[in-house]
């Protein structure tokens, strides 16, 4: 719809004897902004998404090379913190338990510490998966490619929206300045013609 208004505006003011310079300029500004929004914003989004995807994929590969999934064994359960009134956090907590566990690191060293286990009712001797680094320090689960791709898409979409907003904001600012200059010229012209308004032919 904005494209139709911009093109119509340029065509309408092209040979109109009442056309002011700012009228045509505003129409051209609107058309240029529209072209940039339609063309440049998506291109910027694709480029940003592609760069983000490549960076995230490198991070995925790096994390998978440095993080290892091992099997830990429950020694005993640790008392849970007080109940949380938030249903979302309490549901997530119900699916996990704090335990004292032992495990063997990829480098062969033995470890024992308090960790969060993906067990609802842990008992001594139960096993559960745990992510550690080469030395056996507990780390987070590595990022997977599906999540990385999702983040890249969101980054690209956000960039496209931001660039489109920048172009539209610039257009509005340019038009606002044009309108202010037009009003200033009107005020100046009125200051000159106003005192003599209606006196022509009165003989005064």
């Amino acid at each position: 719809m904005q494209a139709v208004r911009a093109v119509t505006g340029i065509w309408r003011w092209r040979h109109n004897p009442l056309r002011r310079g700012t009228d045509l300029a505003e129409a051209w500004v609107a058309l240029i902004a529209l072209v940039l929004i339609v063309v440049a914003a998506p291109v910027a989004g694709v480029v940003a998404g592609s760069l983000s995807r490549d960076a995230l994929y490198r991070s995925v590969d790096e994390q998978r090379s440095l993080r290892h999934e091992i099997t830990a064994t429950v020694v005993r359960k640790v008392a849970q913190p007080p109940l949380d009134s938030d249903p979302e956090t309490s549901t997530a907590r119900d699916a996990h338990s704090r335990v004292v566990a032992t495990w063997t690191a990829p480098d062969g060293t033995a470890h024992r510490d308090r960790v969060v286990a993906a067990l609802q009712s842990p008992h001594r001797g139960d096993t559960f998966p745990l992510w550690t680094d080469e030395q056996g320090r507990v780390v987070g689960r590595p990022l997977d490619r599906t999540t990385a791709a999702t983040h890249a898409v969101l980054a690209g979409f956000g960039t496209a929206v931001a660039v489109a907003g920048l172009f539209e904001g610039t257009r509005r600012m340019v038009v606002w300045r044009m309108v202010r200059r037009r009003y200033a010229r009107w005020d100046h012209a009125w200051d000159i013609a106003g005192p003599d308004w209606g006196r022509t032919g009165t003989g005064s």
Side-chain angles (χ1 to χ4, degrees), residues 5-204:
R5 288 199 299 268
V7 174
T8 302
I10 293 175
W11 183 259
R12 183 176 69 246
W13 293 118
R14 188 176 180 184
H15 301 295
N16 194 319
L18 299 179
R19 183 200 72 190
R20 297 163 298 193
T22 55
D23 295 325
L24 189 59
E26 289 177 18
W28 275 110
V29 168
L31 182 61
I32 292 171
L34 176 66
V35 171
L36 290 174
I37 289 173
V38 172
V39 177
V43 169
V46 171
V47 171
S50 179
L51 294 175
S52 298
R53 182 198 59 203
D54 293 342
L56 288 169
Y57 279 0
R58 286 194 299 269
S59 179
V60 168
D61 295 338
E62 180 181 358
Q63 289 183 11
R64 289 197 172 276
S65 67
L66 298 176
R67 303 182 184 188
H68 307 274
E69 186 178 24
I70 54 92
T71 300
T73 303
V74 175
V75 176
R76 61 181 174 84
K77 182 178 180 180
V78 177
Q80 293 287 91
L83 293 178
D84 191 346
S85 58
D86 188 343
E88 293 186 2
T89 57
S90 61
T91 300
R93 186 197 60 213
D94 291 342
H96 296 77
S97 302
R98 293 182 60 83
V99 300
V100 174
T102 59
W103 64 91
T104 301
D107 64 1
T109 57
H111 293 265
R112 176 188 173 111
D113 201 354
R114 293 187 179 188
V115 295
V116 176
L119 299 171
Q120 291 186 358
S121 301
H123 298 88
R124 182 180 179 85
D126 289 347
T127 59
F128 60 94
L130 187 68
W131 286 93
T132 71
D133 61 11
E134 188 68 27
Q135 290 73 39
R137 291 185 293 264
V138 178
V139 295
R141 181 186 183 91
L143 186 69
D144 60 80
R145 283 185 170 259
T146 301
T147 303
T150 301
H151 289 331
V153 170
L154 292 176
F157 178 76
T159 300
V161 172
V163 171
L166 177 63
F167 289 144
E168 176 61 16
T170 302
R171 182 195 71 82
R172 289 176 180 271
M173 178 63 68
V174 171
V175 171
W176 176 76
R177 291 180 64 86
M178 286 181 177
V179 171
R180 284 184 61 85
R181 291 180 61 185
R182 180 192 304 165
Y183 287 160
R185 286 197 296 269
W186 284 354
D187 290 340
H188 179 68
W190 179 252
D191 289 340
I192 295 174
D196 296 327
W197 184 261
R199 294 187 177 185
T200 303
T202 60
S204 56

